[in-house]
Amino acid sequence: MLLIPAIDLKGGKCVRLRQGGMDDVTVFSDNPVEMARRWYDAGARRLHMVDLDGAVSGKPENATVIHDVVDALPDMDIQVGGGIRDDDTIQAYLDAGVRYVILGTKAVNAPHFVGDVCVEFPGHIIVGLDARNGKVATDGWSKLSHHDVIDMAKHFEQDGVEAIIFTDIGRDGMMEGLNLESTVELASQITIPVLASGGVTDMSDIDALCAVEEEGVQGVIIGRAIYEGTLDLRAALQRAAASR
């Protein structure tokens, strides 16, 4: 089970939101590079970074900070989302050393774009599907589409994406536990990895995830729990390693 700490960026600071609300922000650090190093030192080897400002504006707003993290931790695989809507942005992030780029709103609104960039940047494209009640949300979660999560995931699998990040918006940042049933259901319908996101609270969630790893849920993105201390990342990484 791949445990991926999250760093969400707003105004150059490391923050967390509740249910994606840009007006419900908790600042955890003014120094994202220092925070990234903390998670690396705890044993994490993959990092999830989201440009929250970029997700709203549609273009990178915190790219400089992301580049600083990449430069500081060259051995860490970094996946970046938020405001990635064109080829040039993808190219710039990959040139800077980012391992994966995550497409969200653009993937839903222009599905053909995903197929194109999977050909242009093979092995580097992940799609994030954020859902409420089985329907995909876009534009920083401010809009709910009519698209079904599973149908879209199957489409993107055929396009050649590396993985699907599945977020239950209703649980994100609320520390109420994962929506494991929906995550497993999605993973059972596709063969590419599914990365769970939203709701991890404590070690019981890690144990539950490890129990379904063979069903296709291969990783989880962890945010508020490691910042507020209800989950110790180092201990969680050790638990996940021992479950193999």
Side-chain angles (χ1 to χ4, degrees):
M1 180 59 57
L2 184 63
L3 306 187
I4 310 170
I7 290 182
D8 289 355
L9 297 168
K10 189 175 190 301
K13 297 179 180 180
C14 178
V15 307
R16 296 301 295 170
L17 307 181
R18 291 185 188 275
Q19 296 183 309
M22 291 293 277
D23 56 349
D24 194 349
V25 180
T26 305
V27 177
F28 283 104
S29 174
D30 292 336
N31 190 333
V33 174
E34 185 179 278
M35 187 61 72
R37 188 173 284 112
R38 174 181 170 184
W39 303 138
Y40 180 83
D41 290 343
R45 290 300 176 264
R46 190 149 158 188
L47 183 67
H48 178 78
M49 301 191 75
V50 178
D51 182 346
L52 294 173
D53 300 306
V56 175
S57 72
K59 63 183 187 299
E61 302 287 354
N62 290 279
T64 300
V65 176
I66 293 167
H67 292 178
D68 289 345
V69 172
V70 172
D71 290 343
L73 297 168
D75 295 332
M76 200 170 205
D77 284 340
I78 295 175
Q79 56 189 47
V80 174
I84 300 174
R85 310 279 168 90
D86 56 49
D87 301 46
D88 290 344
T89 302
I90 295 173
Q91 187 71 65
Y93 274 132
L94 296 181
D95 287 347
V98 168
R99 180 69 179 86
Y100 303 102
V101 295
I102 304 161
L103 304 179
T105 296
K106 179 74 173 186
V108 177
N109 292 342
H112 65 277
F113 176 72
V114 178
D116 292 343
V117 295
C118 282
V119 172
E120 188 174 357
F121 308 105
H124 294 286
I125 306 299
I126 292 174
V127 166
L129 293 177
D130 307 325
R132 182 181 281 118
N133 299 323
K135 299 299 181 183
V136 178
T138 63
D139 298 279
W141 300 353
S142 63
K143 298 177 183 177
L144 198 62
S145 76
H146 64 278
H147 297 293
D148 179 80
V149 169
I150 291 175
D151 288 345
M152 294 222 74
K154 288 179 177 178
H155 178 88
F156 294 134
E157 177 180 35
Q158 293 177 349
D159 284 336
V161 304
E162 286 296 294
I164 297 290
I165 297 173
F166 174 67
T167 305
D168 182 336
I169 297 173
R171 304 215 181 188
D172 187 74
M174 300 305 289
M175 292 174 58
E176 295 176 349
L178 284 158
N179 187 340
L180 205 56
E181 183 179 349
S182 294
T183 308
V184 170
E185 182 184 6
L186 174 60
S188 72
Q189 299 296 313
I190 58 179
T191 58
I192 57 175
V194 171
L195 305 178
S197 175
V200 168
T201 305
D202 54 32
M203 198 69 84
S204 67
D205 291 313
I206 304 302
D207 291 337
L209 281 159
C210 290
V212 298
E213 185 171 7
E214 292 186 357
E215 297 182 56
V217 183
Q218 296 187 15
V220 61
I221 295 164
I222 307 171
R224 187 173 288 271
I226 56 174
Y227 288 95
E228 295 196 348
T230 62
L231 180 70
D232 180 270
L233 182 62
R234 185 185 299 275
L237 286 162
Q238 292 171 348
R239 179 76 65 89
S243 72
R244 291 175 187 150

